Every structure is written in C-alpha cells, then in structure tokens.
Amino acid sequence: DIVMTQSPDSLALSLGERATINCKSSRSILYNSDNKSYLTWYQQKPGQPPKVIIYWASTRESGVPDRFSGGGSGTDFTLTISSLQAEDVAVYYCQQHYETPLTFGGGTKVEIK
Amino acid sequence: EVQLVESGGRLVQPGRSLRLSCRASGFTFGDYTMTWVRQAPGRGPESVGFIRTQALGGTAEYAASVKGRFSISRDDSRSIAYLQMNGLKIEDAAVYYCSFSRARPYWGQGTLVTVSS
C-alpha cells in the first residue's frame, strides 16, 4: 500500500498568515499517461464529512476560495492557504487515489493563534 | 449530479452483524471501483475495503483490521454497494462512507455505526 506522510500534525497561525501543509507519498502517484498526480486535499470541520478542496494535486474544486492552492508532483505535495481566515480552522488531509487501497495522510489541524 | 447515500448504520452490540448500503446516482455505477472508508471519532479516515468493477472481476480486497469479518458486494443493476459487517468490535465504531474516484474522489455523507453493549 502507498503510505502518505503528512506534516506538521498541527499548525497555529494568526489571521492573515500563510499556512503550508506537506504531504509525501511512499511511491510516485503520477500517472504518466495523463501527467497528473492523483492527490486530493480535504478540509474537514467538526461533525462534517471531508470536503474536497484540491484534486489532481493542484486543481481547485469549484467554489473553493483562491487562497487555497496545491502544488507538487510525483511524491511531494503541499497545500497552501495564502491568508488564513477564521473559517479555515479545520483538519486537512491528503489522500492518494492513484491506486487502491486509497490511503490518507494523518491529518493537520489548523488553528488560529 | 453525482450522489452517494449511505444507510444502515445504528447502535449494535459487540459480536453482532450489520449491513450498510450505498445507493449511487448520477454516474455509471458499474464502471467504477467502489471503496468503503470509515472514520472513528477523533481519527483520520481509513479505507476498509473496495470492490472492483465486473470488468475487472468484481473482486474485493480488505484492510487487515477487518479481513475475515467484513465483506463488500455490489448490485450494478440497482447501483448499490454493500458492506456486510460481522463480528463487530468496539473499535469498528465509526462513520462509514462509500467513495469512488472519477478525476476526483466523491464521498457520501456517511452513516454512523456505534458498537456498544
């Protein structure tokens, strides 16, 4: 199985600061046929299911604010929140869907300092 | 519009069985591998298992934690995936989601399974 390693476990920043979350896969999740990395970022707030915010490593889901961006390819990925807002407090997960079984990072809890 | 609706979750005693259903709409169900994911309170999501399409043999694979106790099946004519859970343990308590991927993953809203005596 592909192991997803996410860091840091938690992040406390002031409003307006930049948040960066890292995710590393144990093997490449880049499909050569379409040159896409099958990496999804989720945002999860208490009592809600995970919500897709970024897929294919860098494609923002419709309706997601443009302060969220994803980068990386192959095995190393980042999620960036350019200017942290109060409503961004949540746990963020990365997931690979390059192959089954789907596997997830351990999550990063983002809080306001 | 893609929709996945899970049902069947409830309070059950340890050792008992439960069957969850996932009703799909908005896409050609039979063309996609379906995965069951669970999330225990305060924990991250975990894949429980998945079932391949009939074209790929219709076989299922399971996480080590549930192998031998859980089984996944599908009814492509009704666009439903099932998760049969036998010998439930306290640690199986979680919200259970079904999911598939088409460019991006899609999830349902989940169904809550509580295991307690």
Side-chain angles (χ1 to χ4, degrees), chain A residues 17 39 41 49 52 56:
Chain A
E17 283 198 295
L39 188 284
W41 287 100
V52 173
W56 284 338

Side-chain angles (χ1 to χ4, degrees), chain A residues 17-69:
Chain A
E17 283 198 295
R18 184 183 197 86
T20 301
I21 301 170
N22 301 295
C23 178
K24 188 175 181 67
S25 59
S26 60
R27 291 189 270 119
S28 176
I29 55 175
L30 173 68
Y31 257 122
N32 291 329
S33 59
D34 59 12
N35 202 36
K36 295 186 191 298
S37 292
Y38 280 65
L39 188 284
T40 295
W41 287 100
Y42 296 89
Q43 176 192 67
Q44 187 173 32
K45 297 181 178 180
Q48 298 180 17
K51 172 189 169 186
V52 173
I53 54 172
I54 300 282
Y55 60 96
W56 284 338
S58 61
T59 300
R60 198 179 304 114
E61 174 77 336
S62 176
V64 171
D66 61 7
R67 63 180 179 273
F68 291 92
S69 63

Side-chain angles (χ1 to χ4, degrees), chain B residues 58-78:
Chain B
T59 52
E61 306 285 346
Y62 303 94
S65 56
V66 306
K67 199 169 186 178
R69 299 187 297 121
F70 288 15
S71 64
I72 299 173
S73 59
R74 63 190 300 156
D75 182 342
D76 290 351
S77 67
R78 299 175 66 196

